[in-house]
Each structure stands twice: as structure tokens, then as C-alpha cells.
Amino acid sequence: MKYPRKTATGDAGEFFAAYKIAKELRWPCRLFDIDIGIDGQVEIMAGEKSTGRFVAIQVKTTTAEEKSCCYVEAHHFDYWVSAEIPAFVVLVDLLKEQMFLHLIDPSQKYVRTSEGTYKIYFDLASDLFTPESGALMVKASERSAEFHVLRDYNRTEEAKQQLFESAWEAENGESA
């Protein structure tokens, strides 16, 4: 059996990311056995209690000196943008044992290469993962929760309006 270097590097990056999140934030980080565009899920905690909110992580691992970007396939990028929970691309630098977070923001313009991949940039100072990075994950999960509440509220209001119109039509025998 073989364990290719690329696979070993990728696995090490995923385990390192899960370790750092659990150690620094004291939050559960579940790595998935099946990778279809998301490597893991982080559960947002308030102290020792779960908030019921989550963020997704996709880990990209490097052993290169001073790498500040990574490339992702368009179908993965589209998957993250359409996901029900916020997605972070995590760049793990195994040489320096550091990691960097980038929240995929559908309102941000991303560079698409001629090969069809997206280039994700990392600011090696401001995107460095620290215990304070948890606030970024919390904020992203709160925005996502607010979006879903607002979406459901709007659907409810639309359904209520349709019911009122149907009731009016039934009472008056005509269209509104």
C-alpha cells in the first residue's frame, strides 16, 4: 500500500486545523470522512454550551515558504456560496505551524483564472488564526442564522398574503 506525500500533507493539514480549533477555541471540529467540498464542520459554542450554529471549513495545506493564496475549483466555490452554513477556506502552513482563515463572502469579487479556478487570497497578518478568530466564526454563523430567519419570515408573509387573497376571492367570488 502507498500513502502519497500529497495525501499525507492534506491529512496533516486537516488534523492540524481541527487540533488548533479544539485547542484554541475549545470548540468541536468534526472532520468528515467523505470530502465533497467541505472537510469539516465547527460547532459554535458559548462557553461550554452549544449555540446550535455551525460553520464549514475546507482546508488547503501548504509546505511552501510564504504562500498567501490557494486555488479552488469552481464547483467547490459554488457549493460553498450556496451552502446553508458559512464556509471558511483554511490555509494551513505546516512549516510554520500556522493557519489562516478566509470566509467565503458571496458579495466579494473573486479572481477566476483562465483554468476556471478561483484564487483565494490570505492576508498573512490579519487572517492568521488566533483565539480571537472565534469571533469571526461567531459573527458569520449569526449572519447566516439571521438570513435564514428573515428568509423564513418572508416566506411566511408571502403565504399569509396568498391565504388572505384566496379567502377574499372565496368570499367575493372574484379575483383580487
Side-chain angles (χ1 to χ4, degrees), residues 77 81 102-110 143:
F77 183 85
V81 168
H102 176 88
L103 173 62
I104 297 298
D105 180 355
S107 67
Q108 182 179 334
K109 184 151 176 74
Y110 289 88
R143 277 195 314 261

Side-chain angles (χ1 to χ4, degrees), residues 75-95:
H75 68 278
H76 285 150
F77 183 85
D78 295 339
Y79 176 59
W80 303 330
V81 168
S82 68
E84 289 285 320
I85 63 175
F88 286 84
V89 177
V90 179
L91 180 64
V92 172
D93 180 338
L94 290 177
L95 291 178

Side-chain angles (χ1 to χ4, degrees), residues 61-135:
T61 309
T62 183
T63 55
E65 290 289 329
E66 292 296 318
K67 186 171 181 178
S68 62
C69 71
C70 67
Y71 297 87
V72 297
E73 295 179 31
H75 68 278
H76 285 150
F77 183 85
D78 295 339
Y79 176 59
W80 303 330
V81 168
S82 68
E84 289 285 320
I85 63 175
F88 286 84
V89 177
V90 179
L91 180 64
V92 172
D93 180 338
L94 290 177
L95 291 178
K96 293 184 179 174
E97 294 188 350
Q98 295 178 321
M99 67 184 212
F100 306 88
L101 298 179
H102 176 88
L103 173 62
I104 297 298
D105 180 355
S107 67
Q108 182 179 334
K109 184 151 176 74
Y110 289 88
V111 175
R112 190 155 185 182
T113 68
S114 58
E115 293 83 28
T117 61
Y118 285 96
K119 189 173 188 176
I120 308 295
Y121 291 98
F122 294 86
D123 180 316
L124 299 182
S126 65
D127 293 340
L128 179 66
F129 180 84
T130 66
E132 290 74 35
S133 299

